[in-house]
Amino acid sequence: ELLLSPLPAGGIAATFQFRTRWDAAPGRDWSLFKMFSRTITEACPLASQSKIYVDTSVKDKELVEVTPSPTSLHEAIVQGEKRTYAVYDLLSPSLFNTSRSLNVQLKMTWPQDMELSTPVLHAHRYVSGYGLQTGKISTLIYNTHPYRAFPVILLETVPWYLRLYVHTLTIITKGKENKPSYIHYQPAQDRRRPHLLEMLIQLPANSVTKITIQFERALLKWTEYPPDPNHGFYFLPPSGALVPSVIAMKELDMEQSPLFTSLFPSSDGSSYFVRLYTEPLLVNLPTPDFSMPYNVICLTCTVVAVCYGSFYNLLTRTLHVEEPSKGGLAKRLANVIRKLRGVPPL
């Protein structure tokens, strides 16, 4: 998913969100070539800045190995925690001196006793229901901060072939209804645009907010189905934008500027922009039996061939009556012998 953000100078900053499948091995190694099947050969000629940021924030620096060596390191405060980023400046001439392409690789070694910390804000989404007519989309947003509440802007983009029932929208936090401060809904148009649902929700401290909405599946035209229709249809995950205030950060970290301050400036230098994504959903739609046309064609061709062949034979075939011939010399000799023996002739 390509995200475009306006810059103060009138330009556009582009960020790319890519979801990769982690291997079940102990290490979670990845590289640009593994994800995109290609490497970077040059920077964008129209960009004034072109950088790659790799998050290497772990307690033990020896567990993370980034190759090739980054051009610089950057430290920033994200959600009140200190993060370390390896920065690759694609406009730097020294980056492409050793090789003509750049393939950033990250190798991680995970000890068996190592526990991953839970982020302060994270989200999860799933589809529930049975059958192929109706269903329900549920989104869970977790705020694990012990005493701080956060405002979150939830942006849902649902394909048009899922008919949303907006009156079934419910937001529950700690067993109580959580009314959004702002809500905007743009209905979908068949085969033109998807549903657009945008809400501003307050997340209390140490809470789980559940957002549910029911939908009905539409029946597509037979030409709109993919080659493997029984696999289902993917649609993009929703995004949640967060702009915390100064109280959400630690007192010792207020003077440190956050990451991408040039992209998302703030008046006091303490607010920053965070974008969260859930996993994409796979939804099954009512699918016709695409083998029936083949069966109908085979049956029709067989019936037509049998009926047409029979009628064609009756209309075009002619009958000829042939008189039996008197026979040749061999038959005459046989009849003479049979007559001498007293046997009827042939």
Side-chain angles (χ1 to χ4, degrees):
E1 181 177 353
L2 183 64
L3 306 176
L4 300 179
S5 304
L7 293 179
I12 294 179
T15 58
F16 192 86
Q17 184 237 351
F18 181 80
R19 180 177 296 274
T20 181
R21 178 179 296 177
W22 297 110
D23 297 332
R28 297 185 177 182
D29 304 341
W30 63 266
S31 65
L32 295 179
F33 185 79
K34 286 184 179 180
M35 292 190 296
F36 305 106
S37 300
R38 64 187 62 190
T39 58
I40 299 177
T41 56
E42 61 179 353
C44 178
L46 301 179
S48 59
Q49 293 184 3
S50 183
K51 297 180 180 180
I52 298 177
Y53 291 84
V54 181
D55 190 353
T56 60
S57 304
V58 292
K59 295 181 180 179
D60 192 354
K61 301 298 182 181
E62 298 180 355
L63 300 178
V64 178
E65 180 183 359
V66 183
T67 55
S69 300
T71 55
S72 63
L73 296 177
H74 183 83
E75 294 183 351
I77 306 300
V78 178
Q79 294 187 7
E81 296 182 358
K82 190 175 183 179
R83 315 290 295 184
T84 304
Y85 297 88
V87 183
Y88 294 88
D89 190 358
L90 301 182
L91 298 180
S92 177
S94 60
L95 192 61
F96 295 98
N97 285 342
T98 57
S99 61
R100 296 183 179 180
S101 62
L102 175 63
N103 182 26
V104 180
Q105 300 181 9
L106 186 140
K107 297 181 179 180
M108 305 186 68
T109 304
W110 294 88
Q112 297 181 356
D113 57 347
M114 182 177 180
E115 296 182 359
L116 298 178
S117 59
T118 304
V120 177
L121 292 172
H122 59 281
H124 172 62
R125 187 170 65 156
Y126 60 92
V127 175
S128 59
Y130 59 91
L132 295 177
Q133 182 177 1
T134 60
K136 182 169 64 175
I137 301 176
S138 301
T139 304
L140 301 178
I141 304 179
Y142 297 84
N143 179 16
T144 60
H145 200 282
Y147 55 89
R148 296 299 183 189
F150 296 102
V152 172
I153 299 177
L154 179 66
L155 179 62
E156 284 268 9
T157 304
V158 183
W160 62 268
Y161 46 78
L162 299 181
R163 319 290 191 185
L164 293 183
Y165 296 148
V166 185
H167 68 280
T168 62
L169 176 64
T170 58
I171 305 175
I172 304 299
T173 303
K174 295 183 177 181
K176 299 180 180 180
E177 183 180 0
N178 187 352
K179 294 184 178 181
S181 304
Y182 168 81
I183 185 171
H184 170 72
Y185 173 69
Q186 182 180 6
Q189 293 183 0
D190 290 354
R191 300 170 181 84
R192 290 187 178 181
R193 69 183 185 191
H195 301 270
L196 180 63
L197 180 61
E198 189 176 11
M199 296 179 293
L200 176 59
I201 306 173
Q202 298 292 331
L203 303 181
N206 195 16
S207 64
V208 179
T209 302
K210 184 176 182 180
I211 306 167
T212 60
I213 186 171
Q214 297 181 12
F215 65 89
E216 180 181 357
R217 297 172 171 87
L219 183 62
L220 304 180
K221 297 180 180 179
W222 70 274
T223 55
E224 296 175 344
Y225 286 91
D228 188 11
N230 294 316
H231 178 72
F233 291 77
Y234 289 98
F235 63 93
L236 296 178
S239 62
L242 171 69
V243 185
S245 60
V246 67
I247 60 175
M249 304 179 62
K250 299 179 181 178
E251 296 180 358
L252 299 178
D253 300 333
M254 291 182 181
E255 298 179 358
Q256 302 186 26
S257 60
L259 182 64
F260 309 136
T261 53
S262 61
L263 302 183
F264 307 104
S266 176
S267 57
D268 57 357
S270 61
S271 299
Y272 52 91
F273 181 84
V274 176
R275 188 184 296 272
L276 302 177
Y277 292 92
T278 64
E279 54 272 87
L281 293 182
L282 179 64
V283 178
N284 291 325
L285 296 181
T287 305
D289 187 2
F290 287 99
S291 64
M292 285 305 297
Y294 173 77
N295 299 334
V296 171
I297 291 173
C298 293
L299 180 61
T300 304
C301 292
T302 303
V303 173
V304 170
V306 172
C307 297
Y308 177 78
S310 301
F311 281 105
Y312 181 81
N313 290 333
L314 293 176
L315 296 176
T316 60
R317 180 177 296 178
T318 58
L319 301 177
H320 299 279
V321 179
E322 295 183 358
E323 296 181 357
S325 59
K326 297 181 179 179
L329 180 60
K331 187 175 181 180
R332 292 178 182 178
L333 293 175
N335 289 333
V336 170
I337 295 173
R338 293 173 66 87
K339 185 177 181 180
L340 295 176
R341 293 181 178 180
V343 179
L346 297 175

